[in-house]
Amino acid sequence: MNTGVISPETRAAALAAMSTGDELDVLVVGAGVVGAGAALDAATRGLAVGLLEARDFASGTSSRSSKLIHGGLRYLEMLDFGLVREALRERGLLLQRLAPHLVRPVPFLYPLQHRAWERFYVGAGVALYDTLALSADGAGLPRHRHLSRGQALKAFPSLRPDSLVGAIRYYDAQVDDARHTMFLVRTAMAHGAHVAARTEVVGFLREGSRVVGVRARDTETGAELEIRARTVINATGVWTGDSQALLAGERGQFTITASKGIHLVVPRDRIAGRTGIILRTATSVLFVIPWERHWIIGTTDTRWDLDKEEPAVSSGDVDYLLDEVNKTLATPLTRDDVQGVYAGLRPLLSAAATGTAKLSREHAVGTPVPGLVVVAGGKYTTYRVMAKDAVDAAARELTSRVPVSCTDQVPLLGAGGFRAAWNRRALLARRAGLHVGKVEHLLRRYGTLIDEVLALIDADPSLGKPLEGAPDYLRAEVLYAVTHEGARHLEDVLVRRTRISFETTDRGVAAARTTAQIVAAHLGWSEAEAEREIAAYRARIDAELAAQQQPDDESADATRREAVPLAA
């Protein structure tokens, strides 16, 4: 079985095939969730496909979301029923068919502060949410339930008793966004796509007005190459404007506004609760989301015009979230409780609105010049629809007939047989000599590809030990990130293949050296190169921490940039 292994060797082979082999049917630029989804969509239609990413898979927005797969309750209030219904259908597909190993249900409480009218108003909205899920074939989660104040406090004891008169419990779903995107990439590769990260597009190839490929640079070696394709899909998210600017003399079709959303990560024992919480704020909503042994608290929604690669979190951002969540907690959180922080940028289609919270989360697809398709906007949950629409547009650029999309029927790698594997987890644990809790952890991260991880442990039993500095992970997982998941740098392993960078109190600094030692030989690092990787990762963390002491976006961004040279 082809499991889409992405290793240093397969990356080199993919670059060679794209630059020296036959012309591609579709070349996708940008390996966030939409680009990865487009590569999978095109590959499963029988097209010859390439996928390029300037940095690491999901290194932008697609690793920095709230990690929810949801319809978006607040969009009902905006009367955007079509967007909600579409998202709920996708939620159902992901839970039941496409990625049951990565996407799982999570209950939420919506605290009520007014006895009669609010319960009726919110209850009607949540009932509509459930109904839309059923009508969109997105069933599979329990329906909502009204709770008294006592029932709500039993489910979430950390709520201040005077902050609510009752609650409504409903269900949505959550996902590790970076892992899900990486699984999309690997599944596309398993279906024949050529895939390469750390390959930056620096220009478009033109024949007359038509785009016929790209000029790219391998950022690992500096080598430049030309890749020819019958059509190119630009799926670069918040970088859409930058990539459109590579079309010399052409005006970009879409204007994207970047909206910054930050999240705090606190240890699970700081808040007592068995569900998530959704809270109203003056401009948007705030989530408190259970995440393994942690809580994720977010998010903000503010315009961002500074560095898009590493949006900085300011002291003001942290204080805002703490102030908002503490309005409802019996024991307020402090800065000392914050273990990790991350920020991402939403690519919003610009419109005449006074704030980014009012800009569209819908998506658009266009063809600004022949041979080039641009897809922009949207939300994580509806990535598959965006990808389908982009490939539909690309297919219209091709002269041959292209089959319709079938990705609603294509489970991701690791999904097939997952529920049976979950039922056998105790047996798997005994055979592997691991605690059943570790096997559950592996199944939720790899699904039925767990066998590939266990094979590494069989070959070297020391890899079955916990990773020093991050004992929630096994040593085998950081090696697997390099040998199977395309990680090229320490940051790739600690920030995206695992979530050590925000799940440990030192943000992964203690785990960095051991991780480097495990992966160095497989990446061809000398001792000096391994030391540079460790120093670069530490510099990244120091830069983040320094930025978080600054009062506003501008000073936080400037502080982070000053510390960037070593971390870049």
Side-chain angles (χ1 to χ4, degrees):
M1 176 184 176
N2 183 351
T3 60
V5 172
I6 308 175
S7 65
E9 295 76 20
T10 60
R11 175 183 180 273
L15 286 173
M18 285 188 279
S19 59
T20 64
D22 294 337
E23 181 181 40
L24 299 170
D25 293 317
V26 176
L27 176 65
V28 182
V29 180
V33 70
V34 176
L40 176 59
D41 188 287
T44 53
R45 298 192 198 203
L47 299 174
V49 179
L51 173 64
L52 299 180
E53 166 56 44
R55 299 170 67 204
D56 183 29
F57 307 123
S59 57
T61 304
S62 298
S63 61
R64 306 166 190 239
S65 72
S66 296
K67 319 214 181 300
L68 293 177
I69 298 293
H70 64 141
L73 268 178
R74 72 186 179 110
Y75 300 117
L76 285 182
E77 206 165 28
M78 300 176 184
L79 305 182
D80 203 340
F81 302 120
L83 178 62
V84 175
R85 188 175 187 273
E86 180 179 79
L88 289 172
R89 178 178 185 270
E90 295 304 309
R91 184 190 73 179
L93 283 171
L94 286 162
L95 277 166
Q96 298 174 57
R97 181 185 303 158
L98 304 185
H101 55 315
L102 302 173
V103 180
R104 52 187 176 271
V106 58
F108 282 94
L109 290 188
Y110 190 119
L112 301 171
Q113 297 177 320
H114 306 280
R115 291 189 181 279
W117 71 265
E118 188 182 23
R119 186 177 287 278
F120 173 79
Y121 178 74
V122 176
V126 178
L128 178 58
Y129 197 66
D130 286 345
T131 301
L132 287 172
L134 285 169
S135 66
D137 194 28
L141 295 181
R143 290 181 64 80
H144 74 283
R145 181 185 171 195
H146 286 258
L147 304 180
S148 66
R149 176 159 56 187
Q151 290 171 320
L153 291 172
K154 185 176 180 180
F156 209 98
S158 280
L159 286 173
R160 262 181 35 222
D162 63 349
S163 71
L164 74 164
V165 297
I168 295 175
R169 185 181 66 197
Y170 74 98
Y171 280 79
D172 256 320
Q174 69 179 170
V175 68
D176 184 328
D177 46 8
R179 291 204 61 74
H180 172 251
T181 299
M182 186 273 303
F183 266 90
L184 282 168
V185 173
R186 286 188 63 182
T187 306
M189 188 172 175
H191 285 277
H194 301 297
V195 172
R198 306 286 176 183
T199 308
E200 181 183 10
V201 170
V202 295
F204 290 102
L205 302 177
R206 306 285 291 270
E207 289 183 0
S209 64
R210 187 175 187 83
V211 168
V212 294
V214 302
R215 287 184 294 106
R217 182 173 61 88
D218 181 346
T219 61
E220 298 290 280
T221 66
E224 296 199 357
L225 52 152
E226 292 188 352
I227 300 173
R228 298 186 68 84
R230 294 182 177 88
T231 184
V232 176
I233 295 177
N234 175 357
T236 51
V238 293
W239 287 273
T240 298
D242 302 76
S243 52
Q244 286 182 146
L246 297 175
L247 283 171
E250 303 285 349
R251 181 179 178 182
Q253 185 166 359
F254 299 121
T255 301
I256 297 295
T257 296
S259 164
K260 185 176 75 167
I262 82 143
H263 298 79
L264 309 180
V265 182
V266 303
R268 194 67 176 263
D269 62 5
R270 300 302 193 273
I271 301 173
R274 300 196 305 272
T275 73
I277 296 285
I278 179 173
L279 304 168
R280 295 296 297 265
T281 69
T283 58
S284 186
V285 295
L286 181 73
F287 289 100
V288 181
I289 307 163
W291 178 263
E292 302 293 344
R293 298 198 301 113
H294 304 83
W295 296 94
I296 293 176
I297 300 170
T299 181
T300 57
D301 195 341
T302 55
R303 187 183 180 103
W304 181 263
D305 296 310
L306 303 168
D307 179 36
K308 290 192 284 288
E309 287 196 2
E310 296 292 342
V313 176
S314 70
S315 176
D317 290 328
V318 175
D319 289 342
Y320 169 79
L321 285 183
L322 289 175
D323 289 346
E324 289 295 329
V325 76
N326 283 338
K327 291 176 182 178
T328 62
L329 294 180
T331 303
L333 297 174
T334 70
R335 279 179 168 263
D336 291 339
D337 296 315
V338 177
Q339 187 166 297
V341 177
Y342 67 91
L345 301 177
R346 307 174 190 87
L348 305 181
L349 289 170
S350 291
T354 57
T356 57
K358 297 180 181 178
L359 295 184
S360 175
R361 296 308 303 274
E362 294 185 358
H363 68 275
V365 176
T367 305
V369 297
L372 177 66
V373 172
V374 180
V375 56
K379 59 199 294 282
Y380 194 101
T381 302
T382 56
Y383 79 89
R384 195 191 64 81
V385 178
M386 297 174 65
K388 170 188 172 298
D389 290 349
V391 178
D392 282 346
R396 290 192 287 271
E397 293 286 305
L398 302 175
T399 55
S400 57
R401 182 181 177 277
V402 177
V404 299
S405 176
C406 63
T407 51
D408 60 339
Q409 302 292 325
V410 179
L412 300 190
L413 290 172
F418 170 70
R419 290 185 174 88
W422 182 259
N423 292 339
R424 292 188 296 110
R425 63 192 184 278
L427 178 60
L428 286 171
R430 287 196 298 272
R431 288 177 176 172
L434 297 172
H435 189 278
V436 69
K438 286 295 184 186
V439 170
E440 290 176 351
H441 160 87
L442 294 175
L443 283 168
R444 288 183 178 127
R445 285 171 48 76
Y446 305 94
T448 50
L449 296 191
I450 187 176
D451 291 341
E452 295 182 341
V453 182
L454 296 180
L456 295 177
I457 297 172
D458 287 342
D460 180 358
S462 71
L463 295 174
K465 295 179 180 179
L467 180 68
E468 294 89 333
D472 287 351
Y473 294 88
L474 299 180
R475 291 165 61 91
E477 294 182 78
V478 299
L479 178 58
Y480 186 86
V482 167
T483 59
H484 289 69
E485 296 179 342
R488 302 282 301 174
H489 294 278
L490 203 53
E491 172 194 330
D492 302 344
V493 178
L494 298 177
V495 177
R496 286 173 291 277
R497 303 305 184 278
T498 69
R499 294 319 187 117
I500 291 170
S501 66
F502 66 66
E503 291 178 343
T504 56
T505 54
D506 67 349
R507 306 197 184 189
V509 171
R513 181 166 298 280
T514 302
T515 301
Q517 292 169 349
I518 292 171
V519 306
H522 296 272
L523 288 170
W525 293 346
S526 66
E527 185 175 340
E529 288 169 327
E531 288 298 328
R532 281 197 293 271
E533 286 283 334
I534 295 167
Y537 183 77
R538 287 176 172 167
R540 171 195 171 94
I541 299 304
D542 289 344
E544 290 176 355
L545 292 172
Q548 289 160 29
Q549 302 304 312
Q550 304 306 310
D552 53 38
D553 284 350
E554 288 74 16
S555 57
D557 180 69
T559 299
R560 220 203 71 79
R561 284 173 179 268
E562 288 174 4
V564 156
L566 182 59

